[in-house]
Amino acid sequence: MAGMDTEKEPAMPTVLITGIEPFDGESLNPSWEAARRLDGQEVAGARLVARQLPCVIGKVVGVLRQAIEDVQPDLVICLGQAGGRSDVTVERVAINVVDARIPDNDGHQPIDEPVVEGGPAAYFSSLPIKAIVRDLRAGGVPASVSLTAGTYNCNTIFYGLAHFIATERPALRGGFVHVPYLPEMATRHPGAPSLALDVLVHGVKIMVATSLAVTQDIKVGGGALH
């Protein structure tokens, strides 16, 4: 009736999932293959939006920031390839250094440069990393906490995201997760472990659900001796 207050349905949360374009001679990147499979899906009451990021160290943070501005997400989960790792590794800390072992896709190879000039030495993830690992394992996805995101494009993404959150979007939560090769990629790297795409996609859904449900991480062992 006219004049009566009407309650609006609460807006559905939006989760931005990013993956990275292929690099280092590969034709696939498992992070993007998993992310794009989830674009437009609804998981745990949230809408998922996938965006591809470049493997270009000097541009990738700007592309990520623009994606956040466009999508206006409540949560950001950035995925990246970690060939040689045997499980899904949820990154704990991003460091303010680029020390590229190989050139990026624009042919640049920055060495011992900061991600953000004058920025803090490091940032911790704002995802519930240990709860994510717990739930991934319970869901049949091999997973562990990682204490290094490297010093290449992935760490640049992670640090750039964390710096953006700390300085401009304190209500936003986000972090970075590395994933292994896909089986078809591992055939080019004899002895390298891999994880099927369906398992990765299932794992990302778990990451989303856990990150939305858990705001205070659980306190269980997940460290390393070396």
Side-chain angles (χ1 to χ4, degrees), residues 37-99:
R37 279 270 197 104
L38 292 164
D39 187 43
Q41 292 195 26
E42 183 178 328
V43 174
R47 180 177 66 98
L48 273 52
V49 178
R51 292 288 185 270
Q52 187 183 69
L53 301 180
C55 185
V56 180
I57 293 167
K59 298 178 181 177
V60 69
V61 174
V63 175
L64 174 60
R65 288 172 63 106
Q66 187 60 57
I68 294 171
E69 294 291 350
D70 292 344
V71 174
Q72 293 294 312
D74 301 278
L75 177 73
V76 181
I77 298 178
C78 296
L79 307 174
Q81 171 187 307
R85 293 192 185 180
S86 58
D87 56 3
V88 172
T89 49
V90 186
E91 298 297 344
R92 186 169 199 163
V93 60
I95 60 174
N96 193 17
V97 66
V98 181
D99 189 2

Side-chain angles (χ1 to χ4, degrees), residues 3-225:
M4 293 183 63
D5 291 334
T6 57
E7 293 186 4
K8 292 183 178 180
E9 289 291 327
M12 178 181 289
T14 300
V15 180
L16 174 62
I17 308 291
T18 69
I20 306 170
E21 68 184 355
F23 67 96
D24 197 23
E26 301 289 349
S27 60
L28 296 171
N29 190 312
S31 66
W32 175 238
E33 295 306 309
R36 72 190 185 100
R37 279 270 197 104
L38 292 164
D39 187 43
Q41 292 195 26
E42 183 178 328
V43 174
R47 180 177 66 98
L48 273 52
V49 178
R51 292 288 185 270
Q52 187 183 69
L53 301 180
C55 185
V56 180
I57 293 167
K59 298 178 181 177
V60 69
V61 174
V63 175
L64 174 60
R65 288 172 63 106
Q66 187 60 57
I68 294 171
E69 294 291 350
D70 292 344
V71 174
Q72 293 294 312
D74 301 278
L75 177 73
V76 181
I77 298 178
C78 296
L79 307 174
Q81 171 187 307
R85 293 192 185 180
S86 58
D87 56 3
V88 172
T89 49
V90 186
E91 298 297 344
R92 186 169 199 163
V93 60
I95 60 174
N96 193 17
V97 66
V98 181
D99 189 2
R101 182 179 60 82
I102 57 173
D104 65 17
N105 283 357
D106 266 4
H108 299 303
Q109 189 174 1
I111 295 174
D112 296 340
E113 296 182 7
V115 179
V116 176
E117 190 70 43
Y123 286 108
F124 288 113
S125 177
S126 53
L127 298 178
I129 61 172
K130 292 185 177 180
I132 290 172
V133 169
R134 175 199 62 189
D135 292 350
L136 285 171
R137 290 173 177 172
V141 182
S144 61
V145 172
S146 170
L147 301 178
T148 176
T151 55
Y152 190 54
N153 194 62
C154 291
N155 178 73
T156 300
I157 293 167
F158 186 13
Y159 187 93
L161 170 63
H163 186 73
F164 180 62
I165 290 172
T167 58
E168 298 185 42
R169 293 288 182 88
L172 183 62
R173 298 166 66 221
F176 196 95
V177 180
H178 268 118
V179 300
Y181 285 135
L182 298 174
E184 56 266 47
M185 299 172 70
T187 61
R188 298 181 57 245
H189 304 276
S194 64
L195 209 57
L197 180 57
D198 285 347
V199 177
L200 289 180
V201 170
H202 173 56
V204 177
K205 291 179 179 179
I206 292 172
M207 295 175 209
V208 170
T210 301
S211 297
L212 290 171
V214 179
T215 56
Q216 183 69 38
D217 203 6
I218 60 174
K219 192 171 184 179
V220 297
L225 295 177

